[in-house]
Amino acid sequence: MVITVLITTVSVLILVDQFTRGYARSESETRMKQLAWQMQDALERGMREREIDLRLLVQRPSVRAGRDLPRVRRVFNELQANVPHYAWIGLANPEGTVMVATNGLLEGASVAQRPWFQEGSKGEYAADFHPAVLLAQKLPPQSNPWRFVDLSAPVHDLDGHYLGVVGLHLSWSWARDIAAKLLDPAGNRYDVEVIIVRDDGTVILGPKGMEETKLDTPSVRAAQAADNGGSVIETGPDGRRYVSGYARTGVKGGMKLHWSVIVRQPETVALAAFRDLEKRVIVVGALSGVVLVLLAILLTRRLVGPINALSAALELRAAGRPDVPIPQINSYREIQLLSSTLVNMVEREETYLREVRSLNESLEQRVAERTSRLHETASALQEALDQQQANQIQLEESAAELRAILENAQDAFIAADEHGHVVEWNRQAELLLGWPRDQVMGRDMAELIIPPDMRGAHNRGMAQFLKDGTSVVINNRIELQALHHDGHELPIEITVGHVKRQSGHLFIAFLHDITERLAFRDQMRELALTDVLTSLPNRRAFSDRLPEGMMRARRADQLLALFFMDIDGFKGVNDRYGHEAGDELLIEFARRLQRSVRDVDTVARLAGDEFVVILENLQTQEDAVMVAEKILVTIREPFQLTHSTVNISSSIGVAVYQPNLDGEVGPEELLSMADKAMYAAKRLGKNRVELGRAGDA
Ligand SMILES: Nc1nc2c(ncn2[C@@H]2O[C@H](COP(=O)(O)OP(=O)(O)OP(=O)(O)O)[C@@H](O)[C@H]2O)c(=O)[nH]1
């Protein structure tokens, strides 16, 4: 509390000091600024009066008449008597010779080279502060050296002829008087100085020693630059700090000479009054501080004493002395309230502690019971957890084994959930279908591997199964076309299984490529229908093709002819040239037959030397007979075999199927008809064609 009082007192003192110092400074600046303005105003007013004097002078008829020089001199002397600051008034003729002047001074002398004369001949002119050696010698000596400001103007006689120049030499004591009057009211007790500076920086009025030296201070620069006056705090060339007010003459017109007017006061003097006040404030502040600190100490003792007694009692109790009573203090209301509250609190706490202690005892017993029960439950739980962990490990191992088996299975393995999304895809599936596992997981299986034209059927089948559990695919081995990653289709055999899980249906499929198997099957089928010796279709193939051809003939309403042929005397070839030559002949015979008919026609070997030919798209029976005759001619050509040349002939029985006439005739009947016709040909001498008739069948 004491420190707070001290800090507050010092802070207030600093604040008051700062405020007072600022106030004193700004007061002083205002004062200097006003004095500078007053000085500037007085100078401008004085100069204006001198200009009026000059104007009146050059208008005076006595001056303009010019002839009565003593009279003119009297006029000049009168003016000088009225304004003693005029050191000299004179009139120079156009050649620059002084014709008349106050007290006859310089009369007859030449002023032709003087600026006041040269400039004054052209119009009103003011020459700035300057010494005048010639005139100074003629004037009585004075404490300050003679310095002047000149005013001049041309004079014209009453007829308007140029008469010469009137010059006024104003002594600088004029400005000194103005400055002295300005500072006079205070008797200049405050070290205030007036400085006038010409535009070239020369001090033309100022303290002793400064005049006619150059001065370049912030206030001079500010006065030269500013239209209005102002004030600054600056360091003078003598190193002292000054409060300076400044103003400038001739800014608003009227006065021709521009001077910077500086009025300054040492800062120490300006702030002297403030220093006194500051001292007083510090003394009063310090005394108040001491009083306040004493008061604070007293108050603190009174406030803190009872609190200390209370806290000592509390500390003893906290250190294990519950017998120490809380004192009841009645010194002031707040502490009385605090101590009685503490007494109540301590009593309540003791009661509470007693209750807690007894509760604790019963609780401890219950906790012991519960703990032992908890131990039992925990060990049972631990056992169950161990068991579950063992099961889990077993399950994970089984899953890993299963995954390894599936991964290394010969077949591709794919599993999908009930939404058809892929959930398993083994290595073989990658190889078979070209999709890497990580690109298919979670994707629609149907889109990946089922060709677009079969997807509809697949989706319908799935929906059906999920609805009523029926399916033609599940648990059956079926052959399908599957879609490869690169877009081509491949035949596969697939076995689809289904597992009903808690998390939904799971469809599993094993599939493998059956391209080779199908090729083999086609080859077998082809072999079963082909005659091994001649590579012609065999009897089985023929028995398929004849009904097909008859059906086409019916549809197109065209004729079909069936030739039944047998090589005449084939047995003799075998006997004479050997079985191999017989085989060779059969092969060549077959080739000639094939070459004799069109591609759409069928040549087949039924057995031994028996061949059949099916001719389709015929117009007339005669066409058929013509083809048969042509074949006979071809056959009669000698056969060049490896070791011999053989000449043979053939007998052909022709049966023609005319759909519109023989609608009821079947393949067997047609064959039988041709067979019979062939035997007829044999009977009739072989090497000929015989046309069968419907009735012969
Ligand atoms: N080389 C050979 N001979 C066969 C083959 N199949 C049957 N033969 C023989 O062909 C002969 C058929 O004789 P046939 O048609 O009965 O007698 P053929 O001498 O032709 O008398 P015609 O038919 O009345 O002129 C038999 O001797 C069969 O053993 C065969 O694949 N190769």
Side-chain angles (χ1 to χ4, degrees), residues 322-393:
D323 54 312
V324 175
I326 302 293
Q328 178 67 54
I329 300 164
N330 297 319
S331 62
Y332 54 95
R333 210 182 106 64
E334 284 77 9
I335 199 71
Q336 189 183 346
L337 205 64
L338 180 65
S339 66
S340 63
T341 307
L342 275 174
V343 168
N344 284 341
M345 261 176 68
V346 166
E347 276 169 12
R348 269 209 307 278
E349 191 197 341
E350 276 168 358
T351 319
Y352 174 71
L353 274 175
R354 271 194 301 280
E355 281 170 10
V356 165
R357 228 169 274 133
S358 83
L359 194 67
N360 252 354
E361 280 159 16
S362 75
L363 258 181
E364 268 167 24
Q365 197 181 342
R366 278 165 68 189
V367 165
E369 286 167 17
R370 290 272 163 88
T371 309
S372 95
R373 245 182 286 157
L374 261 178
H375 276 306
E376 287 164 20
T377 316
S379 52
L381 200 64
Q382 186 59 46
E383 266 174 42
L385 276 174
D386 290 346
Q387 186 58 45
Q388 199 193 12
Q389 211 169 6
N391 289 345
Q392 181 69 26
I393 291 168

Side-chain angles (χ1 to χ4, degrees), residues 566-571 574 579 582-583 605 608-609 682 686:
D566 181 292
I567 300 172
D568 297 333
F570 179 64
K571 189 169 173 302
N574 268 340
H579 214 265
D583 283 353
R605 183 180 173 217
D609 59 346
K682 290 268 185 198
K686 302 184 180 173

